[in-house]
Structure formats: C-alpha cells, structure tokens
Amino acid sequence: MSLISPFSRRLYLRIWLAVVGGVLVFAFAVGLAWRWAAEHNAQNLQQPPAREIVITDASGKPVLQGLATRERREPGEPSDYSIETESGDKLQMQLSARGPRPDGRGGPPRDVAFWLRPPFGFIWMLAAVGIAVTIGVFPIIRKLLQRLENLQRSVKRFGEGDLKVRVRTQGHDEVADLARQFNAAASRIETLVDSHKSLLANASHELRSPLTRIRMGMELMQDGVPSPASRAEILRNITELDQLVDEILLASRLDAGATNIGTLEPVDLLGLSAEECMRVDAELNAHTDGLAATDLDVQGISKLLRRAVRNLLENARRYSLGEITLDLSREGDHAVIRVSDHGPGVPVDQRERIFEPFYRLPGASERSGGVGLGLALVRSIAERHHGSVHCEGRADGASGACFVLRLPVGLV
C-alpha cells in the first residue's frame, strides 16, 4: 500500500490548497484587523482620553488650567470638550473646523499618527496583509509550475532534434508522471532511430556483397551464356538478396511495433515444429507425456512463430557437423523449444552478441550463408510474444550449441 498522500499525486489539488491557504490566511488577518479596529474605536468612544489643557494670557500667566475630555461626536460636527479645572469647576468648550488656509488648503496639518488611526490604519493593515499573502503564495505556485516549464523546454529541444534530452523527474504528481512517460517515449524513439540508422548502414554493406558477386558473374559470362556453375552462383546470390530484403523489412516492422503483421490465433507448436524439422532433416523430440493435445498450443502470430523456429533450425544446419535435434516440452506456463546442433558452439562471451543485428561470430564467412539477421529476428519475435530466447551449451556436454525459445502458453 502506498504511503504517499493523494494530495502529493494531484497537482491541481496542491495549487488549490495553496490558493485556499492564502485566502484563509488573508481572511484570518482581516478578521484580526477588523477586531482590533473595532475594539480600538469602542475604547475611544467609551473612555475618551483626558488631556491636560493650559490657557495663558499675553504675559504667559495661566488663565485656565485643567483636564479636557473630548466628547463623542459625528464626523463633520464640531468637537466638544469637557474641562474640569483644578478648583473643580466644569466648563464646556467647542472647536469647529476653521476656514481655508492662506495657501488654499483647508484643515489643520495631519501627522503620521493620523494615518495610522482608524479607519486608515485598518486599510493600511489590510493592504499589508494582502501584499504579504501575495508574496508568500507566489513561490509555492512558482515551484509547482516550474517543472512544467522545464518539461516544455525539453519537449521543444527534443522536437528540434536533440534525441538525448531527458527531463528530471521530481515528486509523484501528474507532472512527474508526465516527465517519466516523456523520458520513456524519448528513449524508445532514440533506440528506434539508432536501430534504423544501424540497419540502413549494415544493410547497405550486406546488399553490396551479393550485388558485387552477381556483377562479377555477369562479367565472366562468355558469349552471354552462363556456365552451370555461374548460373548456380547467380541464383544463390539472388536468393540471398531476396532473403536479406525480406528480413530487413520484417525487422523494421517489428522494431516499429507494427500491428498489421498478422492475426493472433492459437498456434499448434507441435505441428509447426514437425513441418519445419522435415525441411532441414532435423530430429523432433516431443515430450508430451501427461499433456493434453492443446497443452503445447500458444496464442500468437503463426507466420512469425514459424519464422522463429525456421531461423533456429537453419542456423543450426548452417554450422552443425552432425544431426540437429528439436526438443519440444512444457515447463510451467511456457512452451519450450530447444534446438541443439553439433557445430563449433558459441563462446560464452558471445552468446548475447549473436542476437544483435548483422553480428557474426569472429571468423565466420559471408559465403557460409546468412546475413546476421536471423537470430535478431528470433529475439524480436520472442519479445513480441512476451517470450525469450537465449543460447547455452548442450546439456550432454558435447560440442555444439543449444538455442532455447520460451513462449508463454495463453493470451499475448
């Protein structure tokens, strides 16, 4: 069970939470500011502050001295003050706004404290809180969306031809999943492009060899009539060209993941193996003890599976110095085909490389037949059917090689 929170997997939820969090902080700050302003105003209205007042004459002698308290008034009305003198007398004083000043501006000058008192202090506090929330939410949104910008730049570079560009994956949300899918698709495309480049380069070399031999055979003809040996050589080279073109086309379609190669259907491996063994004079050993008639059937594309078995048998016939054996058995959920020969065998360090396109073992001659695509096609076909193929030594310890093809029994 995953311990990752669903909120970390959903980018839209994280953005929504960031916005909601900012709004909640702003609303909380507004509430505090409102409460502070209300309490401040209530305190001023209920208990007006008392101020000491001293009125002197022209000589500086105090005429009136006492405590002045401003009474409640509405905006625009004169200010009323209650004055209590030192002798205990109570007086009333009213101040009205004076007329325009000589410079044309009305009203007394206002200090900084005036702008910090309600209602202006409340407005300034709201503005300060709004700016703080805006600045605080920005880096959160920026961090969430910066990965999208990185992905956008990488996709642009990839579209411009840089097939090696990859996106750094961070997190577990939609953007991280999109980055992983982009990296996987980019790797797949890069592999296909490199494979096609290698295929074209090697195919041009392989096509040149039989064409050169055909050209030489034509030049050696006397009076335009080929000798039986020249005719056989030309036919052999034409057959090799036809096989090469056919295998190149099939390899390209398999690498590209073509879906129109054939129809999935139940394939009788026992009957298919018997037919192919007859073509190359190979011995078939079918281990069917305790198995039903359909236990060796696999779901696949018949012509591809036939090509895989045929390539294994023809490869064994090409290098074997004795009989060839095909063993067919059922191991768990897989049907297993083992093709054994009595040839020189394959060195351990070469048993993976021989499945690379156009790879030949050191010392192998072009005239020995084959173009180096047969085993590569077998692996591609096996992987297309969710199976596998590998090379190993013979089980009896004799010289030679054994190729093992495993295919799952069931739907592909």
Side-chain angles (χ1 to χ4, degrees):
M1 181 178 179
S2 176
L3 298 179
I4 301 175
S5 171
F7 290 98
S8 65
R9 293 181 177 272
R10 296 291 181 266
L11 180 61
Y12 71 92
L13 288 179
R14 297 167 66 182
I15 296 177
W16 177 76
L17 285 177
V19 174
V20 170
V23 172
L24 290 178
V25 171
F26 182 76
F28 181 73
V30 169
L32 290 180
W34 186 276
R35 181 177 179 182
W36 173 83
E39 291 178 350
H40 185 76
N41 288 336
Q43 183 179 6
N44 290 339
L45 293 176
Q46 293 175 4
Q47 298 179 355
R51 300 180 181 181
E52 184 177 356
I53 184 173
V54 178
I55 300 176
T56 62
D57 57 14
S59 63
K61 181 180 179 180
V63 176
L64 178 64
Q65 185 174 0
L67 294 177
T69 303
R70 187 179 66 177
E71 297 180 355
R72 180 178 178 181
R73 68 180 181 86
E74 298 296 332
E77 295 181 353
S79 299
D80 294 329
Y81 289 87
S82 296
I83 302 175
E84 183 177 354
T85 65
E86 293 181 351
S87 61
D89 296 333
K90 293 185 178 181
L91 305 174
Q92 295 290 328
M93 182 177 66
Q94 186 179 83
L95 297 179
S96 301
R98 68 181 181 181
R101 295 170 58 182
D103 58 3
R105 294 176 296 173
R110 296 172 179 175
D111 55 7
V112 176
F114 173 81
W115 298 103
L116 298 179
R117 292 194 297 268
F120 300 105
F122 177 72
I123 296 175
W124 286 117
M125 180 172 289
L126 288 183
V129 171
I131 294 174
V133 171
T134 302
I135 296 176
V137 171
F138 177 78
I140 301 176
I141 302 298
R142 176 62 177 167
K143 183 178 180 181
L144 293 176
L145 299 182
Q146 191 171 19
R147 290 179 296 151
L148 281 177
E149 295 180 1
N150 295 334
L151 179 61
Q152 180 186 23
R153 287 192 294 267
S154 299
V155 171
K156 181 180 180 181
R157 289 175 53 192
F158 188 82
E160 292 173 349
D162 185 4
L163 301 184
K164 296 187 178 298
V165 65
R166 298 294 184 271
V167 182
R168 181 182 176 185
T169 57
Q170 297 176 318
H172 303 275
D173 53 20
E174 294 92 340
V175 178
D177 185 58
L178 182 60
R180 284 189 289 270
Q181 292 183 19
F182 170 78
N183 291 339
S187 299
R188 176 63 175 165
I189 292 174
E190 183 183 12
T191 301
L192 286 175
V193 171
D194 291 341
S195 176
H196 286 171
K197 288 180 179 178
S198 175
L199 187 65
L200 289 175
N202 289 288
S204 62
H205 170 75
E206 298 294 340
L207 286 170
R208 191 177 295 112
S209 298
L211 286 174
T212 301
R213 293 196 296 266
I214 292 175
R215 186 181 296 110
M216 291 180 59
M218 297 294 292
E219 292 176 354
L220 292 175
M221 286 183 186
Q222 297 179 357
D223 300 330
V225 180
S227 63
S230 298
R231 178 181 176 83
E233 178 68 13
I234 292 175
L235 290 176
R236 189 185 73 83
N237 286 302
I238 292 176
T239 301
E240 182 179 336
L241 275 175
D242 182 67
Q243 179 185 0
L244 176 59
V245 172
D246 183 51
E247 291 186 344
I248 289 175
L249 290 176
L250 181 57
S252 298
R253 297 178 69 186
L254 288 175
D255 286 342
T259 58
N260 58 346
I261 296 180
T263 305
L264 289 175
E265 58 183 352
V267 179
D268 180 11
L269 284 185
L270 180 58
L272 186 150
S273 299
E275 294 173 1
E276 294 302 318
C277 284
M278 291 181 60
R279 291 183 67 257
V280 297
D281 192 22
E283 180 181 354
L284 173 62
N285 295 326
H287 304 276
T288 58
D289 295 341
L291 298 178
T294 59
D295 284 346
L296 292 176
D297 292 354
V298 298
Q299 195 80 5
I301 302 174
S302 179
K303 65 178 181 180
L304 292 183
L305 295 177
R306 183 178 296 276
R307 172 61 69 89
V309 175
R310 180 175 298 180
N311 285 3
L312 290 177
L313 290 171
E314 289 181 349
N315 182 74
R317 175 57 64 198
R318 187 176 298 117
Y319 297 104
S320 181
L321 302 177
E323 66 178 9
I324 303 172
T325 305
L326 188 151
D327 291 276
L328 178 62
S329 62
R330 171 78 178 263
E331 297 181 4
D333 294 332
H334 289 77
V336 182
I337 296 176
R338 288 182 170 85
V339 178
S340 306
D341 60 55
H342 288 278
V346 181
V348 177
D349 60 342
Q350 301 288 324
R351 288 179 179 174
E352 276 300 311
R353 294 208 61 190
I354 58 176
F355 292 99
E356 297 177 6
F358 297 103
Y359 181 79
R360 291 190 180 96
L361 288 174
S365 171
E366 289 184 0
R367 297 189 64 84
S368 63
V371 294
L373 271 177
L375 294 179
L377 280 176
V378 174
R379 171 156 287 183
S380 295
I381 293 171
E383 292 175 351
R384 180 67 177 259
H385 291 80
H386 302 283
S388 64
V389 63
H390 67 275
C391 177
E392 60 186 26
R394 289 179 59 93
D396 55 8
S399 62
C402 177
F403 289 86
V404 183
L405 173 62
R406 294 179 176 271
L407 299 170
V409 178
L411 294 178
V412 177

